[in-house]
Amino acid sequence: MRRLVFVVAVLGMLGLLAPASSAVGPDPVLKVRAGAALDGGQEVPPVATGMTGVVKVKATSERFRFKLMVAKNSNEIFAAHLHCAPPGSNGPVGITLFTGSFTAAQGKVAGGTLTSPDPGNGCGWADLGDAAAAVAAGETYVNVHTSAVPSGEIRGDVIPKRVVLKAMTELDGALEVPPVATDMAGKVRLRVSDERLKVKLVVTGNSSELFAAHIHCAPPGANGPVGVTLFSGSFTNRAGKVVDTVLSGPDAGNACGWSDLRDVALAIAAGEAYVNVHTARVPSGEIRGDL
């Protein structure tokens, strides 16, 4: 997972672009709202207990905000963690949410804002961007450890409720595989949510017909299939706005296996997507930008 950098910014209107280079834009901005209901039945193996809990999470690559509540506790709670594993599986600790002693029958065990995962955590999360991406992918759970069941008395698989990603990158021929010598350049801005994908693509230095632009699935330095068609038609201006639209989903039956826009957002967050612009001069792609 590449590092995600949380940036709060207002992007101005795109102007003419600089000459082609291998520069790219800032890393994607990922925001996730999620939650979990905790009980003994979700433990692996299940635990017979009347204790329950709830956790709410708002995660970005700079901040992990959470609140953990429990009810019908009859033992000492000495720890609670965010683990990395899908539902039905156990996994290592990524973030410690609580350590100490909580003996009340109900109430708030822990809450607040964290700025990093545990150092050297078993999930391999280098920063909160990695943790946010795991939460967005449905690959985390919260586990509450008690004196009665030290391995975990109640668990809640964290369900992402809303995922929003913003990304911006520059496009040029040097990023094509293999590289393309061209004076053409471009810039693309994306905002992906569960409901829609907003995209704006501008180019400069175009010298032939631009007939298509797509989001492909592949990491930098590799080519991959099309996941989302951003443009299909004929654009022959030397410079200008090729795309400024809103899409409701990826291409039907796409070879990336993206079933919805959340899949698109997760691929971008993982550094597994790029934008490619196809022209009559270079049908396979004249300029590219890794997201």
Side-chain angles (χ1 to χ4, degrees):
M1 181 68 64
R2 71 176 181 178
R3 188 172 66 89
L4 304 176
V5 178
F6 179 70
V7 179
V8 178
V10 177
L11 300 175
M13 184 174 294
L14 296 172
L16 292 181
L17 303 174
S21 70
S22 59
V24 295
D27 283 344
V29 177
L30 181 65
K31 298 180 181 181
V32 185
R33 180 169 55 86
L38 292 77
D39 56 47
Q42 294 180 73
E43 291 285 352
V44 182
V47 173
T49 177
M51 185 181 179
T52 61
V54 63
V55 65
K56 296 181 179 180
V57 171
K58 291 183 179 180
T60 71
S61 52
E62 276 198 346
R63 299 178 182 88
F64 185 93
R65 298 176 61 187
F66 76 99
K67 183 178 181 181
L68 171 62
M69 305 284 292
V70 298
K72 299 181 180 179
N73 174 41
S74 59
N75 301 292
E76 180 188 38
I77 296 172
F78 64 86
H81 306 102
L82 181 73
H83 296 248
C84 53
S89 300
N90 290 322
V93 172
I95 298 177
T96 297
L97 304 178
F98 172 77
T99 57
S101 179
F102 182 93
T103 56
Q106 62 184 28
K108 178 181 173 182
V109 178
T113 301
L114 304 175
T115 57
S116 66
D118 292 1
N121 65 86
C123 296
W125 295 339
D127 53 36
L128 288 181
D130 292 338
V135 171
E139 297 286 333
T140 63
Y141 66 93
V142 170
N143 201 20
V144 175
H145 307 267
T146 70
S147 56
V149 190
S151 61
E153 186 168 342
I154 59 172
R155 163 178 168 158
D157 297 320
V158 179
I159 307 300
K161 297 180 180 178
R162 181 165 176 79
V163 176
V164 177
L165 180 139
K166 295 181 182 179
M168 181 177 70
T169 192
E170 297 178 7
L171 294 80
D172 60 49
L175 294 172
E176 290 286 353
V177 183
V180 173
T182 180
D183 292 328
M184 187 181 184
K187 184 176 286 186
V188 66
R189 181 177 65 187
L190 303 169
R191 184 185 187 277
V192 189
S193 68
D194 294 334
E195 302 86 14
R196 59 184 184 171
L197 187 160
K198 296 180 65 176
V199 57
K200 185 175 182 179
L201 168 65
V202 297
V203 298
T204 187
N206 177 40
S207 60
S208 63
E209 181 188 36
L210 191 162
F211 64 86
H214 308 103
I215 301 177
H216 297 248
C217 52
N223 290 321
V226 171
V228 181
T229 297
L230 303 179
F231 173 77
S232 178
S234 180
F235 180 92
T236 57
N237 295 345
R238 179 168 177 79
K241 183 167 57 180
V242 180
V243 178
D244 188 358
T245 191
V246 176
L247 303 174
S248 60
D251 292 2
N254 67 86
C256 295
W258 295 340
S259 61
D260 53 32
L261 290 176
R262 184 171 293 185
D263 290 340
V264 179
L266 293 175
I268 295 172
E272 298 286 337
Y274 64 93
V275 172
N276 201 21
V277 173
H278 306 266
T279 67
R281 178 174 177 265
V282 189
S284 62
E286 187 165 343
I287 57 173
R288 165 177 169 158
D290 297 321
L291 294 167

